[in-house]
């Protein structure tokens, strides 16, 4: 099944790739590798803000991470000239979780992104990963995730 068909089956329509908020590019291609800049948790109703361990549950954080996954795929689609089917595999994700010092479930939060990518992409979505805590993130968002992808 194509990536586009699978996303449609999951009820996901990739939005236009978000524009960068500062002096950087949203993605950089080097050979067949695409590096996608950090995508912040942003859903249909706007930014998803909060701090895990204070005012957000792990489940809410995982939902925020899923929105990052959708933005990562939107950026990748833009990097591929609109052809998401060029994706060979997700190589690596680095996830940042806005969390309290005591919070230790960062991997469970970033699972929201990882689980969605595997559900949407099958084996192409399996990847290496880091999940780390941050005392704050841009605009107060709950999650930011950057990705490395291989394309054809």
């Amino acid at each position: 099944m194509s990536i586009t068909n699978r996303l449609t089956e999951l009820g996901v329509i990739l939005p236009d790739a978000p524009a960068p908020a500062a002096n950087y590019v949203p993605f950089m291609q080097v050979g067949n590798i695409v590096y996608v800049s950090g995508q912040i948790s942003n859903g249909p109703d706007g930014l998803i803000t909060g701090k895990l361990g204070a005012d957000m549950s792990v489940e809410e954080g995982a939902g925020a991470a899923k929105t990052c996954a959708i933005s990562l795929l939107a950026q990748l689609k833009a990097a591929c000239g609109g052809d998401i089917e060029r994706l060979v595999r997700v190589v690596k994700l680095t996830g940042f979780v806005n969390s309290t010092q005591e919070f230790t479930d960062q991997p469970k939060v970033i699972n929201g992104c990882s689980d969605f990518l595997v559900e949407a992409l099958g084996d192409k979505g399996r990847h290496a990963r880091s999940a780390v805590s941050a005392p704050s993130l841009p605009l107060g968002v709950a999650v930011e995730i950057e990705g490395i992808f291989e394309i054809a």
Side-chain angles (χ1 to χ4, degrees):
M1 176 179 287
S2 76
I3 294 169
T4 303
N5 287 345
R6 179 64 181 145
L7 289 171
T8 300
E9 188 177 271
L10 293 171
V12 174
I13 298 171
L14 294 180
D16 291 336
N23 189 17
Y24 64 90
V25 294
F27 56 82
M28 180 65 63
Q29 182 176 344
V30 178
N32 64 338
I33 302 295
V34 176
Y35 299 83
V36 177
S37 296
Q39 301 298 298
I40 59 176
S41 50
N42 193 6
D45 298 324
L47 295 177
I48 301 169
T49 60
K51 187 174 283 287
L52 279 292
D55 58 5
M56 286 190 86
S57 69
V58 170
E59 293 75 21
E60 290 169 320
K66 180 181 176 181
T67 70
C68 295
I70 292 168
S71 292
L72 285 166
L73 291 179
Q75 291 292 359
L76 182 66
K77 182 177 177 181
C80 292
D83 185 8
I84 192 76
E85 304 304 327
R86 290 179 57 198
L87 174 66
V88 173
R89 73 176 45 92
V90 181
V91 177
K92 184 172 191 296
L93 301 177
T94 303
F96 303 92
V97 180
N98 184 353
S99 56
T100 64
Q101 186 175 354
E102 299 79 23
F103 186 79
T104 59
D105 283 334
Q106 290 82 5
K108 290 179 182 176
V109 171
I110 301 304
N111 280 348
C113 179
S114 296
D115 292 347
F116 173 76
L117 290 175
V118 172
E119 181 181 18
L121 307 172
D123 285 339
K124 291 181 179 185
R126 298 197 185 281
H127 52 271
R129 182 183 93 177
S130 299
V132 299
S133 179
S136 66
L137 288 173
L139 306 172
V141 297
V143 181
E144 180 175 352
I145 304 175
E146 63 183 26
I148 303 171
F149 302 85
E150 180 184 4
I151 61 171

